[in-house]
Amino acid sequence: MTIHKPQQRADVAEIITQASADGTALAIVGAGSKLGLGRHAPCADQLDMSGFAGGLDYQPSELVLSAGAGTPLAQIEALLAENRQMLAFEPPDWSGLLGAGGSGTLGGVIATNIAGPRRVKSGAPRDHFLGFHGVNGRGDMFKAGGRVVKNVTGYDLAKIQAGAFGTLAVLTDITLKVVPAPETSVTLVLRGEDEQAAFASMTRALNSPHEVSGAAFLPAAAAARAGGFGGDATSVTLLRLEGHGPSVAFRAGALASMLAGGDVLPEAASLALWREIACVQPLLQRTDSLVWKLNPQPSRAASVLAEVQARLPVTSCFMDWGGGLLWIELDPAVPDAGAGVMREALARAGGHAMLVRASEALRAQVPVFAPLEAGLARLTARIKAAYDPADVLNCGRMYPPVVS
Amino acid sequence: MLARRHDIVAHLRALVPGEGVIDAEIERRAYESDGLTAYRQLPMVVVLPSTTAEVVAVLRYCHAEGIKVVPRGAGTSLSGGALPLEDGVLLGLGKFKKVLEIDIANRCAVVQPGVTNLAITQAVQGEGFYYAPDPSSQIACTIGGNVAENSGGVHCLKYGLTTNNVIGVEMVTMEGEVLRLGGKHYDAGGLDLLGVMVGSEGLLGVVTEVTVRILPKPPGARALLIGFPDVEGAGACVAAIIAAGIIPGGMEMMDKLAIEAAEAFVHANYPLDAEALLIVELDGCEAEVNHLVAAVEDLARHHGASSIRASTSEEERLLFWAGRKAAFPAVGRLSPDYYCMDGTIPRQRLTQVLARMKQLEARYRLRVANVFHAGDGNLHPLILYDANQPGELERAEAFGSDILRLCVEVGGVLTGEHGVGVEKRDLMDTMFDAVDLDQQLRLKCAFDAQSLLNPGKVFPQLCNCAELGRVHVKGGQTRFPELPRF
Ligand SMILES: Cc1cc2nc3c(=O)[nH]c(=O)nc-3n(C[C@H](O)[C@H](O)[C@H](O)COP(=O)(O)OP(=O)(O)OC[C@H]3O[C@@H](n4cnc5c(N)ncnc54)[C@H](O)[C@@H]3O)c2cc1C
């Protein structure tokens, strides 16, 4: 295997032009923190983008930040924190989940479009991704979007790039919208609810004007694995409030009286708790288990979970995003990684499921991403061909190559 | 194509029965332009389907026959996005008027594309919700048009644009295939095709159903009216508000001419001595609003505000906004015609851009009134002209192009929310080179290989998909001569 480590966009273009002429598949790697995510489809060569670190252009009062795609996320988050700003989508660190070191690079976060608990209020990376420079699978250097928050000039190619797992183009430079960090935050904790009751509480909270920015439910076993709750052995429903001091204080009181109860977890404990939830830590019972991420229609979360629990050996689970995200851990011995059941449940409930953690062999056999309905699959294949006709960029990382 | 007109109309009548096919010239006239009235073109025929199945049938037929199609919502586009084609079908979605479902548990509503923006809020406000993006045209414009243009409004700084508030669509491709993108769940399960549909200006598919996110209405809001003796002070105050970690629900700026026009029109007690006026709205719970009003007042004083008023009642808040919301018609009273521009700039370049605009005013001998989404840098210079004076329209257009070039030159973009349409398509190369545009055109080809859907919009060249697909296209190609120029 050849590992290319370009330093300039033109080098990337040259490498890809050559690879596409030879038909050599390239694995695109930032820090490698998410290599275990997606279909397992080994590529002949590797394109190491860590040379594209830095190049920061950041004006806090413009709410815009640009950086090389290989810039470590931790570095960007530290810089933003110094200026009391943040990435609104709360990029989670899945290194514990995926068994990798560190939270990765900016390019990796965009390519996988992974958001943390604040997704319910503030959206995903795609919602904050303003523009980029990159190289498509033909070796063309192109750009899209801009460096301002409001822009409708041409197609919004940033959107389709986010969550494409590097299968369309290699990003070299990324511009993001940033937001002020909240002055303070607290979490209201309701104890002892079951899934149905928790969904009802989360929905009442999210539907209230109290601007809830995190809504999760940890069954007792998961709660026991989250820092603060150690020995309590009850489930917890967690509702986060963030913002200016007087506002958070008022809303915490109002929300507690609306839901008739709950304790308030103060700032430090609240911060630590949501970091754990973002990292999926409360889920992880064992290191060899299968992990699924389900995105059902929120109102169907409890029924989807009940169905999955009835039909599969679920070892652990929890809900985030007010029910819009279900984390499920399965015994690794389950046939087809449980894919059939997951997808049946979601076909009825609306939504999709991704196999997040499984062995390479399983991720090669079982569809990791929700299989596409025929018309969408054809369109997706045409779009892939429009960007990368020789199918060299992260070939097979999302879907098996189309045999034509 | 025109020779076959009779035959085409007969075919379409079989597909869309009743009054769904408009053939008479006098009735077609109603569709000859959109909000960009300087451009007019009578469509070959107007078709108004009322079901997705009819849209499918029309598009299948047009696809098979190689007939061009221009989708249209309410026709309020300010960039000529819905401008008809002489040899094309104008496909109006005006009959898709139903709110299909209000789903409070999932905080969304499912509506047909012809539902107006405001009607969505009206449908859900009884439950304490609203649909956040609020273009000034919200009484008239449709959600289908909003999706196509990725429309914004004064609340977009805090609550996002259309693209951040639409979670699903049903669309029909030019081939007549029905696709569902997104839905009530979070995130796409595959490529984010919804993300490129939003803002695609009717070139990638016809939207036949839209699922929007709805938000709980904030319990309260107060607005501040802040006058400044110069634009610099106002600009610095905006930057300071954001630097202080405050994202207002809305933050608008008006220049002296716009202030005078608005005041004469709605008598909102705007400070006539001010060179620049800020309207800053803070929303949320009472504790938050009062806390932030005080903080913004402090910042305004610190940046040399000449007058500060905070609304103390809902009536007063609405009055503060009335002038801004009526700014376009108010400016319209100063002059027989005006031309509305829509560039975005990095906010810190505001003073420089306004100074250059003053020079351009002298050069083109036309006045400009400025209203400005100050929080996100989206400028709306309104160029005053009189179309009855020979040469003034051309001067206004040339002036407008110079303003947009200036926006790009300082690091901004050609259009913040109105779209490229026909109006700005020939300026696309100030922002994008040939390779950038080719990548966009390739995406178009993946959706519409024959370029039949809304051709002539957005791109300075018509798309030749076979050519793009085959070889490596080098920069600097000549423009396509067959493309009509306006
Ligand atoms: C007075 C005034 C104020 C305005 N203020 C604002 C503002 O504050 N913010 C803002 O963003 N815009 C504003 N606009 C511009 C305009 O209202 C928006 O662009 C709006 O979204 C257009 O909606 P429409 O239904 O009128 O669409 P149309 O004008 O009919 O069409 C616009 C585009 O959408 C396409 N289209 C329409 N429906 C569909 C569909 N169902 N499927 C596929 N494509 C479709 C058309 O082909 C066309 O390209 C303003 C316009 C006016 C006249």
Side-chain angles (χ1 to χ4, degrees):
Chain A
M1 176 197 285
T2 311
I3 298 179
H4 304 279
K5 194 173 171 192
Q7 303 292 330
Q8 307 283 335
R9 203 176 302 142
D11 303 340
V12 178
E14 206 180 301
I15 295 162
I16 296 179
T17 304
Q18 192 58 49
S20 85
D22 304 343
T24 311
L26 293 171
I28 302 147
V29 181
S33 71
K34 298 179 183 70
L35 272 175
L37 201 56
R39 260 188 96 248
H40 179 65
C43 296
D45 287 355
Q46 210 180 74
L47 188 61
D48 174 346
M49 294 299 289
S50 60
F52 288 81
L56 278 146
D57 185 352
Y58 170 43
Q59 284 116 14
S61 73
E62 296 284 335
L63 299 175
V64 169
L65 176 145
S66 301
T71 310
L73 189 61
Q75 184 188 334
I76 287 174
E77 296 203 284
L79 175 67
L80 288 169
E82 277 168 34
N83 290 278
R84 290 186 294 139
Q85 294 192 334
M86 65 176 186
L87 298 172
F89 51 89
E90 203 173 4
D93 179 349
W94 284 1
S95 52
L97 176 64
L98 298 172
S103 58
T105 62
L106 191 56
V109 172
I110 294 295
T112 53
N113 195 41
I114 303 172
R118 206 180 288 108
R119 174 75 182 84
V120 274
K121 178 160 182 274
S122 304
R126 55 93 79 184
D127 291 293
H128 304 267
F129 182 24
L130 300 176
F132 66 91
H133 285 264
V135 182
N136 67 13
R138 311 165 62 98
D140 299 333
M141 293 184 272
F142 72 106
K143 64 177 176 299
R147 292 209 64 233
V148 290
V149 173
K150 214 155 159 204
N151 176 18
V152 295
T153 322
Y155 298 132
D156 194 350
L157 297 187
K159 290 282 182 305
I160 200 168
Q161 199 66 44
F165 280 74
T167 60
L168 299 181
V170 177
L171 301 172
T172 57
D173 302 270
I174 287 172
T175 298
L176 288 175
K177 177 184 171 185
V178 301
V179 299
E183 204 172 277
T184 185
S185 60
V186 299
T187 296
L188 186 72
V189 184
L190 310 174
R191 287 170 206 270
E193 294 187 316
D194 65 9
E195 283 81 2
Q196 296 285 355
F199 174 75
S201 300
M202 289 192 289
T203 303
R204 282 189 71 195
L206 288 166
N207 287 7
S208 78
H210 301 312
E211 298 189 70
V212 170
S213 68
F217 168 70
L218 310 182
R225 278 186 293 275
F229 304 111
D232 290 14
T234 74
S235 69
V236 288
T237 309
L238 306 167
L239 303 165
R240 177 171 65 179
L241 300 167
E242 299 179 296
H244 302 278
S247 167
V248 169
F250 170 83
R251 287 183 281 138
L255 192 62
S257 71
M258 185 181 97
L259 296 171
D263 323 323
V264 174
L265 215 57
E267 183 176 59
S270 174
L271 287 173
L273 174 64
W274 289 98
R275 220 172 290 126
E276 290 171 355
I277 292 174
C279 299
V280 205
Q281 186 177 308
L283 182 76
L284 302 174
Q285 268 245 99
R286 38 199 289 185
T287 51
D288 63 343
S289 53
L290 300 170
V291 173
W292 282 87
K293 175 174 88 68
L294 276 58
N295 293 63
Q297 225 181 95
S299 63
R300 304 293 291 272
S303 65
V304 167
L305 183 58
E307 175 172 354
V308 170
Q309 277 173 322
R311 297 176 60 190
L312 291 172
V314 173
T315 52
S316 170
C317 64
F318 77 88
M319 276 186 203
D320 197 357
W321 302 356
L325 172 61
L326 282 179
W327 282 107
I328 294 180
E329 185 191 55
L330 296 180
D331 186 294
V334 62
D336 85 334
V341 172
M342 297 291 181
R343 282 175 177 139
E344 266 175 52
L346 284 161
R348 274 194 294 278
H352 53 89
M354 180 181 178
L355 178 56
V356 171
R357 184 169 85 179
S359 67
E360 288 184 351
L362 270 174
R363 285 185 294 110
Q365 286 158 23
V366 171
V368 163
F369 296 91
L372 300 171
E373 162 278 312
L376 275 180
R378 280 194 298 275
L379 179 56
T380 299
R382 286 200 300 271
I383 291 171
K384 168 74 171 162
Y387 277 84
D388 179 20
D391 200 2
V392 292
L393 303 181
N394 273 352
C395 161
R397 183 84 180 259
M398 288 189 85
Y399 306 105
V402 183
V403 199
S404 51
Chain B
M1 190 61 59
L2 290 172
R4 289 165 52 203
R5 187 168 174 275
H6 193 71
D7 186 38
I8 291 170
V9 169
H11 260 99
L12 289 168
R13 282 203 200 285
L15 301 174
V16 181
E19 297 176 348
V21 176
I22 295 176
D23 178 29
E25 182 177 330
I26 182 137
E27 290 173 61
R28 279 186 285 141
R29 280 271 167 239
Y31 297 88
E32 69 178 356
S33 76
D34 57 20
L36 186 68
T37 48
Y39 295 69
R40 282 171 202 279
Q41 171 61 54
L42 198 64
M44 176 170 70
V45 55
V46 178
V47 181
L48 305 174
S50 41
T51 64
T52 299
E54 285 177 1
V55 173
V56 168
V58 170
L59 292 179
R60 273 206 190 128
Y61 166 72
C62 291
H63 182 253
E65 297 293 320
I67 303 167
K68 297 168 195 159
V69 175
V70 177
R72 177 181 168 112
T76 67
S77 167
L78 291 174
S79 56
L83 185 72
L85 292 167
E86 183 187 14
D87 57 351
V89 168
L90 187 82
L91 187 71
L93 280 298
K95 290 191 173 177
F96 282 76
K97 278 205 166 314
K98 286 199 217 52
V99 173
L100 299 172
E101 189 191 349
I102 295 169
D103 182 346
I104 297 297
N106 289 307
R107 289 171 295 287
C108 62
V110 184
V111 302
Q112 291 189 323
V115 172
T116 63
N117 173 293
L118 187 62
I120 301 179
T121 289
Q122 286 167 343
V124 300
Q125 67 191 5
E127 311 272 356
F129 284 79
Y130 74 115
Y131 174 63
D134 55 343
S136 311
S137 51
Q138 68 181 154
I139 313 174
C141 66
T142 67
I143 188 68
N146 291 177
V147 167
E149 301 286 12
N150 189 15
S151 302
V154 298
H155 286 97
C156 285
L157 177 62
K158 184 166 175 186
Y159 298 103
L161 302 154
T162 302
T163 193
N164 311 111
N165 289 278
V166 165
I167 58 176
V169 298
E170 176 194 79
M171 61 171 273
V172 186
T173 65
M174 189 62 219
E175 290 176 348
E177 179 156 35
V178 180
L179 299 176
R180 285 198 157 268
L181 310 178
K184 293 177 179 179
H185 52 270
Y186 289 99
D187 297 337
L191 293 181
D192 187 355
L193 302 181
L194 175 61
V196 281
M197 264 310 284
V198 179
S200 62
E201 303 201 21
L203 270 73
L204 299 184
V206 175
V207 173
T208 48
E209 188 190 290
V210 185
T211 304
V212 297
R213 171 75 62 223
I214 53 175
L215 300 179
K217 202 169 157 32
R222 288 176 69 191
L224 287 155
L225 210 52
I226 311 170
F228 287 89
D230 50 45
V231 173
E232 288 82 351
C237 184
V238 168
I241 290 170
I242 287 174
I246 301 170
I247 300 291
M251 182 149 58
E252 297 290 304
M253 195 190 289
M254 294 165 76
D255 73 359
K256 192 168 185 67
L257 189 53
I259 300 169
E260 284 169 1
E263 180 56 24
F265 192 43
V266 301
H267 310 292
N269 252 328
Y270 280 7
L272 291 170
D273 60 331
E275 284 294 321
L277 178 70
L278 282 186
I279 306 176
V280 182
E281 177 159 295
L282 300 151
D283 60 2
C285 61
E286 199 181 335
E288 171 155 346
V289 172
N290 293 341
H291 172 72
L292 295 181
V293 165
V296 171
E297 280 174 343
D298 273 354
L299 290 167
R301 264 190 294 276
H302 194 78
H303 286 88
S306 47
S307 63
I308 304 176
R309 278 164 55 207
S311 67
T312 51
S313 68
E314 192 58 10
E315 296 74 64
E316 195 176 17
R317 182 182 74 85
L318 294 175
L319 184 65
F320 286 4
W321 276 113
R324 166 62 185 88
K325 295 223 160 159
F328 289 12
V331 167
R333 301 198 322 164
L334 300 181
S335 157
D337 300 284
Y338 68 89
Y339 182 32
C340 173
M341 310 310 297
D342 172 48
T344 306
I345 55 167
R347 261 186 292 94
Q348 58 189 346
R349 311 300 287 269
L350 177 66
T351 312
Q352 177 194 357
V353 166
L354 292 182
R356 287 271 295 277
M357 238 189 264
K358 275 268 168 286
Q359 292 167 4
L360 290 170
E361 281 190 85
R363 175 150 136 230
Y364 286 101
R365 288 170 286 123
L366 293 171
R367 287 190 301 166
V368 171
N370 265 294
V371 289
F372 179 33
H373 300 303
D376 45 32
N378 188 192
L379 294 170
H380 289 316
L382 304 171
I383 303 172
L384 310 187
Y385 72 99
D386 180 353
N388 288 326
Q389 299 300 317
E392 275 210 11
L393 169 63
E394 290 71 21
R395 255 183 15 243
E397 288 189 325
F399 186 176
S401 297
D402 275 357
I403 292 176
L404 296 183
R405 283 192 196 93
L406 173 60
C407 291
V408 175
E409 186 191 313
V410 301
V413 301
L414 292 174
T415 171
E417 58 183 16
H418 294 169
V420 176
V422 288
E423 185 201 24
K424 293 174 275 273
R425 92 185 165 196
D426 290 337
L427 292 171
M428 283 290 271
D429 60 7
T430 61
M431 236 179 101
F432 297 115
D433 64 23
V435 182
D436 304 335
L437 290 174
D438 283 349
Q439 187 56 51
Q440 302 209 16
L441 290 171
R442 284 199 188 90
L443 184 79
K444 162 75 170 168
C445 294
F447 281 84
D448 173 21
Q450 295 182 46
S451 259
L452 292 173
L453 202 53
N454 218 1
K457 313 289 163 65
V458 183
F459 297 104
Q461 65 203 34
L462 280 180
C463 184
N464 182 335
C465 295
E467 185 72 15
L468 278 169
R470 207 180 317 120
V471 287
H472 206 91
V473 180
K474 293 281 176 239
Q477 327 153 277
T478 48
R479 289 181 166 185
F480 284 60
E482 65 270 31
L483 197 65
R485 299 283 141 187
F486 297 93

